[in-house]
Amino acid sequence: MSDHIKTPGPMGASPRCGARTRAGGACRSPAVHGKKRCRMHGGAPGSGAPTANQNARKHGLFTREAFAERREIRALLGEARKLLEEMK
Ligand SMILES: [Zn+2]
């Protein structure tokens, strides 16, 4: 026996769209899987910018390379700090 009708919890707990509607509120339709918007608000398959789209890039502060560089610098600083601590 299916208990689907009696357990709509997972369906209601799915991520919601949240786009602003003409009525002023937020759209509460379920967001398309893997996207933040529903099928009517930009979540449709094939919509949106292609992956690794460079058209909106302004400064590169959030590129994978920049993240990696900062991570390495942080690690190096941590090592240096540890070394200084040991020398005390
Ligand atoms: Zn929507």
Side-chain angles (χ1 to χ4, degrees):
M1 193 183 97
S2 172
D3 58 351
H4 175 72
I5 299 297
K6 289 179 179 173
T7 56
M11 191 175 71
S14 65
R16 296 288 128 175
C17 171
R20 191 177 63 84
T21 64
R22 284 185 282 178
C27 170
R28 280 136 68 200
S29 299
V32 173
H33 188 71
K35 302 212 180 175
K36 293 205 178 284
R37 290 292 181 247
C38 74
R39 65 199 168 90
M40 288 169 288
H41 288 127
S47 69
T51 52
N53 181 18
Q54 294 287 304
N55 294 346
R57 181 176 165 157
K58 289 182 177 170
H59 41 61
L61 190 64
F62 301 103
T63 60
R64 195 170 296 147
E65 290 80 28
F67 278 128
E69 191 181 333
R70 290 198 291 272
R71 193 179 311 122
E72 280 175 28
I73 289 171
R74 258 199 311 280
L76 194 65
L77 280 175
E79 289 293 319
R81 226 168 261 139
K82 220 189 298 175
L83 189 66
L84 283 174
E85 203 61 40
E86 284 166 8
M87 284 164 62
K88 271 184 187 171

